[in-house]
Amino acid sequence: TVCLSKQYKILIPNVFNPMSNIKENSTFKPKFAFITGDYSLKIIDRFGTTIFSSNEIETGWDGKIKDKNAPTGMYQYQILITLPNGENIDRHGVVHLIYN
């Protein structure tokens, strides 16, 4: 008998480049393992304005604000997840947007 414990895992990038040829590097989107439930991602500019939000776990920020490239810089993110067992996961921090 083998018992496996499926512990959830969240990996959040700290920088992304919308102009990158590598798909994974061109969108700000956390990587997840064993996550289901209600999901919310918000990107907030330095003035405190929410410039992007999504409730779809597979949808990330492409670095645009109102269909225009966002300026290079730091943006805050907030990720809220409610797992089916009622546990809440709250992750927040800063992501750097660069163009190379």
Side-chain angles (χ1 to χ4, degrees):
T1 301
V2 175
C3 276
L4 296 177
S5 174
K6 292 184 178 181
Q7 184 75 16
Y8 71 81
K9 186 87 168 171
I10 303 172
L11 301 173
I12 304 171
N14 59 5
V15 66
F16 80 108
N17 178 357
M19 302 298 182
S20 176
N21 293 329
I22 302 168
K23 183 181 175 187
E24 291 81 11
N25 294 341
S26 65
T27 304
F28 174 75
K29 185 180 89 166
K31 303 287 184 202
F32 301 98
F34 308 115
I35 295 280
T36 60
D38 294 330
Y39 170 83
S40 170
L41 167 65
K42 290 183 181 180
I43 304 295
I44 303 157
D45 69 11
R46 64 184 175 151
F47 303 109
T49 303
T50 298
I51 57 173
F52 175 83
S53 64
S54 175
N55 293 320
E56 300 294 327
I57 201 164
E58 292 300 324
T59 302
W61 182 42
D62 62 0
K64 295 192 184 288
I65 302 173
K66 296 181 182 176
D67 294 324
K68 294 183 180 179
N69 288 342
T72 298
M74 297 186 310
Y75 294 85
Q76 294 180 49
Y77 64 83
Q78 181 180 27
I79 299 168
L80 300 171
I81 303 167
T82 301
L83 299 175
N85 67 2
E87 180 181 355
N88 291 314
I89 302 169
D90 181 2
R91 300 287 190 270
H92 53 275
V94 176
V95 61
H96 296 263
L97 170 65
I98 62 170
Y99 297 100
N100 283 355

